Amino acid sequence: MYICVCKGVTDHAIREAVLQGAERMRDLKASLSIAEQCGICACHAKKVLDQALGRETPSQSPGT
């Protein structure tokens, strides 16, 4: 799924960046130029980053 439409960055690319050592949004900005234009993708990119690092579990429906 595309996370950053402006730069054409997918969730797969973010997970790959984590495998290559990315640990912070700053790392994603440096390697993928994510959230550098309109910035709308920043919260979604952070969520994928946290999931890839095991900091957050995938979204669940409310009440579960």
Side-chain angles (χ1 to χ4, degrees):
M1 167 176 29
Y2 280 95
I3 301 298
C4 178
V5 177
C6 296
K7 295 291 185 172
V9 179
T10 63
D11 58 331
H12 177 75
I14 293 172
R15 288 185 179 91
E16 184 63 32
V18 169
L19 292 175
Q20 299 297 320
E23 295 180 346
R24 302 173 296 176
M25 283 296 292
R26 181 179 297 171
D27 300 331
L28 295 182
K29 286 181 181 183
S31 64
L32 301 173
S33 300
I34 203 157
E36 288 190 345
Q37 285 190 342
C38 74
I40 293 172
C41 64
C43 63
H44 300 295
K46 176 77 166 111
K47 188 171 195 146
V48 174
L49 175 66
D50 287 345
Q51 287 174 353
L53 291 170
R55 295 181 193 158
E56 181 181 312
T57 57
S59 296
Q60 296 180 351
S61 57
T64 59

